Amino acid sequence: MGKIARGNKKNTNRVVIWFILPTIFFELLIHVIPMLIGVYISFTHLTSLTLLHWLRAPFIGFGNYQTGLSPTSPIGATFYSSLLVSLSYSILTVLASAIIGVGGALLVNPPFRGRAIFRALFLIPYAVPAIVVGIIWRFIFSRQFGLANGLLVNIFHILGQRPFWLIGPHAFVAMLVANVWKTWPFIFLVSLAGLQTISQDYLEAAEIDGAGAWRQFSAIVLPGIRPVLSIGVLLSFLWTFNDFTIPYSMMGSSPPTSANVLPLSVYSNAFQNWNFGTGAAMSVLMILILGLIAVLFDRLFKVGRSA
């Protein structure tokens, strides 16, 4: 019986390995190998002149990193400026999305007639592809015919003249609004899932003891959804920091300084200036920064775990 059991276990292990092998193969092919090639390129002087024989491009060590991190060089100054824009873009997006998402989840969590319809409507922005979101909001923020200026200038008279939303300092606000509209349903979804784990008995007992709405939220609801909410916040931050599609579809390949996020800056260096080595070095730095932020966030907020 023992030999038969061991034989069955070996057969099961072989089946599992055969199922895992395709996943490992495609993971290596799509993610790991291109990433390693990118790291190698970051140590070379790969430009349009050496592109055809990229394996023989001059090896320059940390030269691209020194250029990218030097605040006195034009590339380094752009890197720090883009890093600041990306951090601001990510933090403000996550904050606004968290407030709207948690508020929306609290709104549609209690049973009422038509609740399923509202829940489905709230998820529509999340289902729209990012490229479509960027194009929609580009039209909305068009200076001449956009809905934003139509409401702010013509209908509500909040502004005296039509501002440019897609160039100049206002571009950051336009990009932020578009991304918050796209991101908040994800926070709403994870918050709603977290609310399902909180027993109504706790809330009813707190209400009987005289706890108000804010006290119930801060003492019961927020700690209850904190594990899933922290995961949602971290993922939203990482996605936003890496976001290329919405800024590119709204601002194009030459964005104003206020909207020049780090992914656009990497794209500009690599595929417009044909300096692939510097672009790869900036990409590696971006990954390291994101990894550091993820670790710090996990240490501070214990992602996915109860306090």
Side-chain angles (χ1 to χ4, degrees):
M1 288 296 289
K3 288 183 178 179
I4 294 174
R6 283 196 294 274
N8 289 336
K9 188 177 180 180
K10 284 183 179 177
N11 289 334
T12 304
N13 291 338
R14 287 196 190 100
V15 171
V16 170
I17 290 170
W18 279 111
F19 273 109
I20 292 175
L21 278 178
T23 304
I24 295 173
F25 172 76
F26 284 110
E27 182 64 23
L28 288 172
L29 188 67
I30 296 171
H31 288 125
V32 178
I33 293 175
M35 192 178 295
L36 293 177
I37 292 174
V39 173
Y40 168 74
I41 290 174
S42 71
F43 292 107
T44 65
H45 186 57
L46 182 63
T47 64
S48 57
L49 301 176
T50 54
L51 185 59
L52 287 178
H53 306 285
W54 66 276
L55 280 173
R56 284 181 283 174
F59 187 82
I60 59 172
F62 289 97
N64 289 322
Y65 292 93
Q66 290 173 349
T67 304
L69 291 174
S70 171
T72 56
S73 72
I75 294 176
T78 304
F79 174 78
Y80 288 113
S81 168
S82 298
L83 178 61
L84 185 61
V85 173
S86 285
L87 286 172
S88 306
Y89 179 52
S90 306
I91 292 170
L92 292 177
T93 293
V94 169
L95 282 176
S97 300
I99 293 170
I100 300 171
V102 173
L106 292 172
L107 193 66
V108 300
N109 188 50
F112 62 90
R113 192 171 183 180
R115 183 177 67 169
I117 296 174
F118 280 99
R119 287 183 174 182
L121 288 174
F122 284 179
L123 290 175
I124 287 177
Y126 190 61
V128 179
I131 183 73
V132 179
V133 171
I135 293 170
I136 290 172
W137 283 95
R138 185 181 174 87
F139 280 113
I140 291 175
F141 282 113
S142 167
R143 181 176 185 269
Q144 191 66 28
F145 306 107
L147 179 64
N149 279 344
L151 292 173
L152 294 172
V153 178
N154 298 337
I155 296 179
F156 296 113
H157 304 291
I158 296 173
L159 300 176
Q161 57 183 355
R162 296 171 177 270
F164 290 96
W165 290 104
L166 301 176
I167 57 175
H170 294 128
F172 179 81
V173 176
M175 184 175 67
L176 181 66
V177 170
N179 198 44
V180 169
W181 186 81
K182 168 72 177 167
T183 306
W184 79 266
F186 176 68
I187 302 289
F188 160 76
L189 197 62
V190 297
S191 301
L192 194 60
L195 287 174
Q196 309 311 307
T197 64
I198 300 174
S199 172
Q200 288 297 316
D201 295 340
Y202 295 139
L203 298 174
E204 290 172 2
E207 191 173 357
I208 292 171
D209 289 341
W214 172 250
R215 181 63 179 162
Q216 291 180 38
F217 174 76
S218 60
I220 300 175
V221 175
L222 194 56
I225 65 173
R226 203 188 67 83
V228 291
L229 183 60
S230 60
I231 294 173
V233 166
L234 178 59
L235 290 177
S236 298
F237 183 91
L238 298 180
W239 291 337
T240 303
F241 196 91
N242 278 319
D243 184 24
F244 172 83
T245 309
I246 289 179
Y248 182 79
S249 57
M250 290 185 71
M251 310 298 167
S253 58
S254 299
T257 305
S258 65
N260 190 20
V261 291
L262 205 46
L264 281 182
S265 186
V266 171
Y267 171 83
S268 175
N269 271 287
F271 298 105
Q272 288 184 313
N273 300 332
W274 299 97
N275 197 339
F276 300 101
T278 307
M282 292 173 73
S283 299
V284 173
L285 290 172
M286 204 168 110
I287 293 173
L288 293 176
I289 292 169
L290 277 181
L292 180 63
I293 290 173
V295 170
L296 289 176
F297 190 89
D298 182 58
R299 290 289 181 89
L300 287 174
F301 298 101
K302 295 180 173 56
V303 176
R305 304 184 292 273
S306 300

